[in-house]
């Protein structure tokens, strides 16, 4: 199958013409070559129309040659469905099946079989972009020995130099590119990532980049290699050599297939050996398009006209056209186009003459160049400032940041020589900031002659009768017109950010690369203001679309919500434990003996804890190491009670509240040393609490010298509970530690040795019984657990699970945050006024305690409920009413049951509940609707067992 628009000479293009690839587009089979994009392969086959517009359904073609493409969206159907890809960024592979889209695609109906992953990478210098400036920057850095990372979205290095006629050091630029590529590959300190797009620059020089590892292989991609990889690159210095993108000009019917950027036509010729048309016209405001004209004309394209709105054109450019017999129309503009499925004619008129007669020029392609916009999105994301350059008619970086700088065309430079020099200079400045001296590095010789001044032309006024701009497309993907911009300004919108949201310009997949500055220019025209005063819209990551699968990486399927088990999990399985899910953790629920029901097993475990000795695996308890000179001050601000006064060796219970005064978590705080604390949290809230603490530390109190580290999985925690727990502990401690009440008081900790393992013992009780928490490194959890288990067997030591833990703590009214609270409960509602410091001037949530809402006497408060029938187990979540008969809807509810259990110690069922004005209802009878009847319950004080706390010390 022939490709009629592929050059006959292999001197053009970098594709492998010896190999043919078959693909299908919109149901028609075509061929291409390795190295093609889907766009270049379609153009080689004469296909310009590839999509339809999202709003008006107009035919759309290929405008660009890279990520700036706003029109040509396709749906890949095979080998795996993927929507909303631009033809200019899809590398061609054998067997590809695709179809054009009208702005909306279709997600796959089956799971994606590909793999995705992520990697971390650290370097002294990151260079983004491997064009002339980026290559020069990376090469200069490679000579110093520092770690360098170079990323570029293309399959090979070179950027704008690929396939051009430019020269460097007196030889073809491609030879220089190949030489630098080899030198970088041979350098042991340089990591080169091709097919890798930096899509976000975040705080502290964290740059995220997406590497497309096997997309170009299609069905031939190996299954064991991830399809895409997100690189998390942390660099001390970053150089953005991201180049610039050509911008179009707005005129009537500027959206027809066959209209494309002049640089795109040049790229398709030089890189892919493709002629974008047979008979071309050009509309340009600057010199750069003339290079495309000369190269395309020499390759065989006939040029019907070059239209330039400037009254004078440099003699060398005019001479080059004259040599090739190309008509040049100075002081002219393109006013519109004609054509059905594709461009067939452009209409031109003299610019300086009002009402000048238009005449038509027949052509099948129109190449447009309205100037160049530096690719500053990443620099802007790094909080770099931009300024308007009136000569370039675009926004350029104002100045470098201390750790981020730009080079080459991204810095507004226009010649190859300038770009090469700026890349080397950027590297030198960046490394000097790190104390690294860059040896004198000669700048390669290249063109330095500046182009002649361009003319600023955002749009050509419509010659049509009626409202101006109704056929002039500013954002091709959004089908947004110049008339939409005018309507926005007439509605009173003056900010380009507001106009963006009113018109949706710049919100599509291309992020306004071809429309953003145009919009600023047209808004300025409408308001009679300067573009410099309007600025640009914000550049937000990602700078180009990234698949959700890439962000998810390996975190899908079982790994999306991974199952976490403690270091003792295997022991629990061997001893018959049944498990329940607590957050992501598998925790032992209870340990049934043969023939036991759950109730039987829990009662047996409770008896052991209350009357003998028992132990459980509490390793899932959240643990956060808080270290630094200001650690005590941070905890003082986050907890309702005093923590800074806690002495080393002591422990204090604490409660955290949100800014609204509602309880969000509780736990213990252990003071390890003057500058170190260990905070414990509930199992399910461990990550939330750490995030909460980090948020306050990083955003509100950055002056505090504190570091937070999750150590949940570092420590195995074993609560040893019961009147005889001291006897078991005394039998296993290996250093003669005195575990008596006098030597080892409640809420204190001691370091010791158990079974040859360093251990930390804490006198903490979540059951009301004499209890110790044994903390050891997780690696030695089984050793220490088994030693305790063996030592306790003569005393009947019994392992117990979470259900028994719940019964024991509920008998003592110890709340579980998230079960006995619902986000609307204060510490006072829980009967814990004692945990609120009256000495501290402030803490998170304190001011909210004074709100009228938080002081209402009818707030829900924690109480106990005793069913009249001692055998009735109330369902958790059951509602509570005041009357025996259920009233007609809406039924007034007094509260709900939060926890409900059968108690061996009380010999009955009981529940905890949140009840309106609960504290003053003690002794009242309320009712719980259940199974078509109501169950009478007596409101009781929440503590039902050992109210005096006599059992705590054994």
């Amino acid at each position: 199958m022939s490709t009629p628009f592929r050059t006959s000479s292999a001197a053009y293009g970098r594709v492998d013409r010896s190999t043919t690839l078959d693909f299908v587009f919109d149901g028609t089979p075509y061929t291409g070559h390795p190295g093609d994009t889907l766009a270049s392969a379609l153009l080689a086959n004469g296909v310009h129309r590839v999509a339809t517009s999202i709003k008006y359904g107009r035919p759309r073609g290929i405008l660009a040659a890279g990520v700036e493409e706003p029109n040509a969206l396709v749906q890949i159907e095979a080998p795996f469905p993927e929507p909303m890809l631009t033809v200019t960024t899809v590398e061609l592979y054998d067997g590809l099946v695709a179809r054009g889209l009208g702005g909306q695609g279709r997600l796959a109906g089956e799971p994606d079989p590909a793999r995705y992953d992520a990697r971390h990478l650290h370097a002294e210098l990151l260079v983004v972009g491997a064009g002339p400036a980026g290559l020069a920057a990376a090469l200069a850095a490679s000579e110093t020995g520092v770690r360098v990372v170079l990323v570029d979205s293309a399959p090979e290095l070179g950027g704008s130099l690929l396939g051009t006629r430019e020269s460097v050091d007196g030889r073809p630029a491609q030879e220089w590119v190949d030489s630098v590529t080899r030198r970088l590959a041979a350098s042991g300190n340089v990591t080169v990532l091709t097919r890798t797009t930096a899509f976000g620059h975040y705080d502290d020089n964290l740059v995220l980049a997406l590497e497309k590892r096997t997309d170009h292989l299609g069905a031939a991609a190996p299954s064991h290699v991830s399809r895409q990889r997100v690189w998390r690159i942390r660099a001390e210095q970053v150089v953005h050599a991201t180049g610039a993108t050509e911008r179009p000009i707005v005129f009537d019917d500027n959206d027809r297939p066959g209209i494309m950027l002049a640089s795109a036509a040049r790229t398709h010729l030089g890189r892919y050996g493709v002629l974008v048309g047979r008979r071309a016209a050009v509309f340009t405001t600057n010199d750069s398009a003339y290079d495309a004209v000369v190269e395309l004309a020499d390759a065989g394209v006939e040029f019907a006209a070059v239209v330039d709105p400037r009254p004078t054109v440099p003699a060398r450019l005019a001479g080059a056209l004259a040599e090739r017999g190309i008509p040049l129309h100075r002081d002219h503009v393109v006013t519109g186009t004609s054509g059905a499925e594709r461009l067939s004619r452009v209409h031109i008129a003299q610019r300086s003459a009002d009402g000048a007669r238009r005449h038509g020029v027949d052509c099948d392609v129109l190449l447009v160049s309205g100037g160049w916009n530096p690719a500053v999105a990443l620099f802007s994301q790094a909080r770099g400032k931009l300024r308007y350059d009136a000569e370039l008619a675009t926004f350029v970086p104002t100045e470098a940041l201390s750790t981020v700088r730009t080079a080459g065309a991204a810095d507004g430079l226009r010649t190859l020589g300038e770009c090469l020099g700026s890349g080397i200079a950027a590297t030198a400045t960046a490394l000097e900031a790190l104390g690294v001296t860059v040896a004198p590095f000669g700048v390669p010789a290249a063109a330095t002659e500046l182009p002649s001044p361009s003319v600023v032309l955002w749009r050509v006024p419509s010659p049509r009768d009626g409202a101006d701009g109704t056929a002039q497309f500013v954002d091709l993907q959004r089908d947004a017109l110049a008339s939409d911009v005018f309507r926005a300004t007439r509605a009173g919108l003056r900010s380009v950010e507001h106009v963006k949201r009113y018109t949706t310009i710049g919100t599509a997949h291309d992020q306004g690369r071809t429309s953003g500055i145009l919009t600023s220019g047209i808004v300025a025209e409408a308001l009679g203001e300067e573009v410099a005063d309007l600025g640009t819209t914000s550049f937000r990551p990602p700078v180009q679309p990234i698949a959700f699968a890439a962000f998810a990486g390996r975190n899908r399927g079982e790994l999306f919500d991974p199952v976490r088990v403690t270091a003792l999990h295997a022991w629990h399985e061997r001893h018959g434990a049944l498990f329940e899910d607590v957050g992501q953790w598998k925790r032992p629920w209870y340990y049934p003996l043969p023939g036991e029901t759950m109730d039987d097993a829990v009662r047996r475990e409770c008896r052991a804890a209350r009357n003998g000795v028992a132990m459980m695996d509490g390793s899932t308890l959240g643990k956060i190491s808080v270290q630094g000179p200001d650690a005590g001050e941070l905890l003082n601000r986050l907890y309702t009670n005093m923590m800074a006064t806690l002495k080393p060796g002591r422990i204090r219970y604490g409660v955290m509240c949100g800014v609204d005064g509602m309880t969000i978590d509780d736990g213990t705080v252990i003071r390890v040393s003057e500058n170190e604390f260990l905070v414990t949290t509930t199992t399910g809230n461990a990550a939330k609490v750490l995030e909460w603490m980090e948020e306050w530390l990083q955003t509100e109190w950055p002056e505090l010298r504190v570091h937070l580290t999750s150590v949940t999985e570092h420590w195995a925690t074993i609560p040893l509970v019961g009147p005889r727990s001291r006897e078991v502990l005394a039998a296993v401690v290996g250093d003669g530690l005195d575990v008596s009440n006098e030597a080892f008081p409640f809420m204190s900790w001691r370091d010791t040795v158990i079974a040859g393992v360093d251990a930390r013992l804490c006198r903490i009780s979540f059951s009301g019984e004499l209890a110790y928490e044994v903390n050891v490194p997780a690696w030695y959890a089984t050793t220490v657990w088994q030693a305790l288990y063996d030592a306790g067997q003569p005393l009947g030591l019994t392992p117990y699970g979470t259900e028994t833990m719940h019964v024991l703590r509920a008998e003592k009214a110890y709340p579980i945050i998230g079960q006995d609270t619902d986000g609307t409960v204060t510490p006072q509602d829980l009967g814990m006024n004692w945990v609120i410091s009256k000495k501290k001037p402030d803490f998170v949530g304190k001011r909210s305690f004074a709100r009228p809402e938080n002081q209402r006497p009818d707030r829900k408060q924690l109480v106990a409920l005793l069913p009249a029938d001692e055998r009735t187990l109330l369902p958790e979540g059951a509602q509570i009413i005041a009357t025996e008969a259920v009233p007609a809807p809406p039924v007034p509810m007094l509260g709900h049951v939060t926890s409900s259990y059968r108690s061996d110690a009380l010999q009955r069922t009981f529940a905890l509940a949140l009840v309106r004005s609960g504290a003053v209802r003690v002794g009242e009878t309320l009712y719980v609707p259940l199974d078509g009847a109501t169950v009478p319950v007596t409101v009781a004080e929440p503590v039902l067992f050992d109210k005096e706390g006599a059992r705590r010390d054994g």
Side-chain angles (χ1 to χ4, degrees):
M1 182 179 298
S2 65
T3 48
F5 288 85
R6 185 83 68 179
T7 60
S8 58
S9 171
Y12 293 99
R14 299 182 58 75
V15 299
D16 179 7
R17 300 191 186 213
S18 65
T19 303
T20 298
L21 303 177
D22 296 310
F23 71 100
V24 175
F25 183 76
D26 279 347
T28 302
Y30 298 103
T31 61
H33 301 293
D36 265 325
T37 63
L38 181 54
S40 66
L42 288 171
L43 290 171
N45 285 276
V47 178
H48 273 259
R49 175 179 175 167
V50 296
T52 54
S53 69
I54 188 171
K55 185 176 179 181
Y56 300 116
R58 291 168 65 98
R60 290 285 163 82
I62 299 168
L63 180 78
V67 296
E68 70 271 25
E69 172 59 50
N71 274 331
L73 290 176
V74 296
Q75 168 94 33
I76 302 298
E77 299 288 8
F80 184 79
E82 187 172 6
M84 304 298 286
L85 301 179
T86 53
V87 292
T88 53
T89 58
V90 175
E91 292 187 58
L92 192 69
Y93 50 82
D94 200 49
L96 184 149
V97 178
R99 61 181 177 85
L101 293 178
Q104 293 179 322
R106 174 185 57 82
L107 293 174
E110 62 271 15
D112 186 349
R115 297 174 57 179
Y116 301 83
D117 64 14
R119 289 279 301 275
H120 291 266
L121 191 58
H122 294 78
E124 280 73 46
L125 179 68
L126 166 64
V127 180
V128 180
L135 286 177
L139 183 61
S142 71
E143 304 291 329
T144 67
V146 301
R147 294 173 299 174
V148 181
V149 177
L150 174 64
V151 303
D152 193 272
S153 58
E156 56 181 335
L157 308 183
S160 62
L161 296 180
L162 291 173
T164 67
R165 294 183 179 180
E166 303 274 7
S167 63
V168 177
D169 279 342
R171 53 179 175 163
Q174 189 60 56
E175 292 185 13
W176 179 81
V177 169
D178 293 341
S179 172
V180 174
T181 300
R182 289 191 296 269
R183 291 174 65 179
L184 293 178
S187 177
N189 58 306
V190 179
T191 300
V192 177
L193 298 173
T194 56
R195 295 188 174 93
T196 303
T197 301
F199 62 81
H201 192 142
Y202 303 88
D203 291 347
D204 301 318
N205 270 359
L206 171 64
V207 176
L208 297 188
L210 180 77
E211 180 185 11
K212 295 185 175 181
R213 306 183 72 204
T214 66
D215 289 60
H216 61 291
L217 300 178
S223 60
H224 67 282
V225 177
S226 61
R227 178 190 176 199
Q228 295 178 359
R229 170 176 289 167
V230 171
W231 287 93
R232 301 184 179 109
I233 307 171
R234 186 81 71 175
E236 294 188 50
Q237 291 281 328
V238 177
V239 173
H240 288 303
T242 44
T245 55
E246 198 168 25
R247 64 173 176 263
I249 306 168
V250 177
F251 49 84
D252 280 5
D253 298 315
N254 59 321
D255 66 326
R256 297 190 193 280
I259 300 174
M260 66 169 45
L261 298 173
S263 60
R266 189 183 185 194
T267 296
H268 280 111
L269 173 64
R271 201 172 299 180
Y272 307 109
V274 172
L275 303 176
V276 296
R278 299 295 187 201
R279 180 178 169 85
V282 176
F283 183 21
T284 181
T285 65
N286 61 90
D287 292 357
S288 66
Y290 287 83
D291 293 329
V293 172
V294 170
E295 293 181 14
L296 286 162
D298 291 349
V301 176
E302 177 187 358
F303 278 86
V306 172
V307 180
D308 195 323
R310 296 177 293 182
T312 59
V313 173
R316 67 176 181 83
L317 301 180
L321 298 189
E323 288 177 10
R324 293 163 175 81
I326 300 173
L328 172 61
H329 299 270
R330 300 177 181 85
D331 190 31
H332 276 66
V333 292
V334 171
T335 61
T337 67
S338 300
E341 292 296 296
R342 181 176 170 182
L343 175 77
S344 60
R345 171 174 288 196
V346 300
H347 306 284
I348 67 175
Q350 189 173 355
R351 185 189 186 204
S352 60
D354 292 337
R357 187 177 64 85
R358 296 190 301 160
H359 65 276
V361 176
D362 292 335
C363 58
D364 61 1
V365 65
L366 171 63
L367 309 183
V368 179
S369 178
W372 293 82
N373 297 327
V376 293
L378 290 171
F379 178 75
S380 183
Q381 289 171 18
R383 300 181 183 176
K385 302 299 183 183
L386 305 178
R387 63 175 177 84
Y388 183 71
D389 187 310
E391 183 180 357
L392 300 179
T394 190
F395 289 87
V396 299
T398 300
E399 60 183 358
L401 305 177
S402 61
T403 60
V404 184
R405 55 207 79 245
T406 53
D411 205 32
L413 303 179
R414 292 175 285 173
T415 70
L416 178 55
E418 287 179 316
C419 291
L420 292 169
S422 73
I424 296 170
T427 284
T429 306
L431 295 185
E432 284 171 7
L434 301 179
V436 178
T437 301
V438 179
F441 196 91
V443 178
T448 56
E449 181 183 353
L450 289 173
S452 58
S454 61
V455 65
V456 179
L457 182 63
W458 309 114
R459 75 178 196 98
V460 178
S462 174
R464 297 179 179 178
D465 296 332
D468 193 8
T470 55
Q472 299 185 342
F473 291 88
V474 180
D475 189 318
L476 293 162
Q477 178 51 225
R478 290 301 190 202
D479 261 354
L481 299 158
S483 58
D484 296 326
V485 178
F486 297 145
R487 186 179 302 111
T489 57
R490 288 196 300 270
L493 304 182
R494 305 183 67 84
S495 164
V496 289
E497 290 282 11
H498 294 160
V499 172
K500 171 182 177 178
R501 284 152 182 79
Y502 186 94
T503 62
T504 72
I505 290 174
T507 62
H509 65 279
D510 65 326
Q511 293 287 287
R513 283 182 173 85
T514 58
S515 62
I517 303 299
L518 284 179
T519 304
S520 295
I522 296 172
V523 170
E525 172 195 337
L527 298 176
E529 297 186 6
E530 296 296 326
V531 176
D533 297 330
L534 293 175
T536 66
T537 56
S538 299
F539 299 94
R540 296 182 175 88
V543 297
Q544 71 180 68
I546 306 295
F548 284 121
F551 283 121
R554 297 182 178 181
N555 299 324
R556 63 177 187 171
E558 290 185 355
L559 295 180
F560 177 72
D561 188 17
V563 173
R564 303 173 72 182
V565 297
T566 72
L568 295 166
H569 187 78
W571 192 98
H572 304 318
E573 286 185 316
R574 290 196 302 272
H575 289 76
L578 298 181
F579 296 88
E580 71 166 336
D581 295 326
V582 181
Q584 294 177 325
W585 293 96
K586 291 287 186 184
R587 298 196 66 181
W589 191 10
Y590 60 98
Y591 297 79
L593 297 177
E596 278 189 331
T597 64
M598 176 178 175
D599 288 341
D600 295 336
V602 171
R603 280 196 293 267
R604 174 177 52 80
E605 294 172 8
C606 286
R607 281 194 298 273
R610 291 291 185 211
N611 302 321
V613 61
M615 68 178 184
M616 75 171 297
D617 184 357
S619 304
T620 62
L621 201 68
K623 308 172 195 73
I624 301 169
S625 177
V626 183
Q627 298 188 38
D630 298 322
E633 176 61 22
L634 173 66
L635 298 180
N636 255 11
R637 298 182 187 184
L638 292 175
Y639 282 93
T640 62
N641 50 339
M642 294 288 288
M643 292 300 173
T645 58
L646 189 64
K647 303 298 183 184
R650 300 294 294 179
I651 305 169
R652 187 166 292 163
Y653 173 80
V655 169
M656 284 186 181
C657 290
V659 293
D660 56 359
M662 304 304 161
T663 307
I664 61 173
D665 201 66
D666 71 338
T668 59
V669 175
I670 301 169
R671 189 155 201 170
V672 180
S673 65
E674 185 65 26
N675 293 334
E676 182 180 357
F677 294 78
L678 182 67
V679 168
T680 66
T681 74
T682 53
T683 294
N685 279 342
K688 175 184 175 182
V689 170
L690 178 59
E691 182 181 11
W692 173 255
M693 296 173 72
E694 285 282 12
E695 180 179 355
W696 285 96
L697 179 60
Q698 294 186 30
T699 64
E700 301 299 327
W701 308 316
E703 75 280 1
L704 295 183
R705 297 163 297 169
V706 184
H707 290 282
L708 306 176
T709 307
S710 172
V711 292
T712 298
E713 291 172 311
H714 296 207
W715 292 95
T717 301
I718 306 169
L720 186 65
V721 177
R724 308 195 71 176
S725 58
R726 182 177 288 123
E727 298 175 53
V728 175
L729 193 59
V732 295
V733 292
D735 56 357
L737 177 69
D738 186 348
V739 294
S740 66
N741 283 324
E742 296 74 22
F744 196 170
F746 185 63
M747 297 302 274
S748 64
W749 64 268
R750 301 287 185 270
D751 283 341
T752 187
V753 176
I754 299 177
V757 176
D758 290 336
R760 177 167 295 158
L761 304 182
C762 300
R763 273 288 311 274
I764 299 172
S765 178
F766 195 47
S767 61
E769 299 293 333
L770 173 66
Y772 302 84
E773 286 188 0
V774 181
N775 295 276
V776 295
W779 289 109
Y780 306 104
T782 303
T783 298
V784 174
W785 174 279
Q786 191 65 49
L788 291 168
Y789 184 77
D790 292 342
Q793 287 311 293
L795 303 176
L797 183 146
T798 301
Y800 69 95
T802 54
E803 189 66 18
T804 294
M805 175 194 72
H806 286 306
V807 175
L808 299 176
R809 66 90 196 170
E811 291 171 345
K812 293 288 293 181
Y814 297 153
I816 289 185
I817 307 304
Q819 178 169 334
D820 297 309
T821 65
D822 61 2
T824 67
V825 179
T826 67
Q828 296 94 327
D829 298 332
L830 296 173
M832 297 168 63
N833 299 62
W834 55 270
V835 84
I836 301 170
S837 173
K838 296 178 175 58
K839 298 178 181 178
K840 291 200 298 184
D842 200 7
F843 53 82
V844 175
K846 179 176 181 177
R847 282 171 288 180
S848 293
F849 292 156
R851 294 190 312 161
E853 170 64 24
N854 286 14
Q855 295 184 335
R856 285 185 10 240
D858 64 342
R859 287 186 61 81
K860 291 183 179 180
Q861 298 166 335
L862 188 70
V863 296
L865 299 180
L866 300 175
D869 182 349
E870 297 179 351
R871 298 167 299 177
T872 300
L873 184 68
L874 301 175
E876 292 178 352
Q879 297 296 306
I880 302 165
I881 61 177
T883 59
E884 184 173 5
V886 178
V891 179
M893 302 296 183
L894 295 178
H896 67 281
V897 175
T898 62
S899 302
S900 183
Y901 307 103
R902 289 186 172 88
S903 169
D904 182 77
L906 302 176
Q907 290 294 299
R908 58 162 302 127
T909 59
F910 74 102
L912 297 179
L914 289 172
V915 177
R916 291 197 182 279
S917 305
V920 299
R921 292 182 182 271
V922 172
E924 285 188 21
T925 298
L926 300 178
Y927 299 88
V928 176
L930 182 63
D931 297 331
T934 56
V935 176
V937 296
T938 300
V939 180
E941 292 182 352
V943 180
L944 297 174
F945 182 78
D946 186 29
K947 295 181 180 182
E948 299 78 17
R951 303 174 66 88
R952 187 194 72 186
D953 293 328

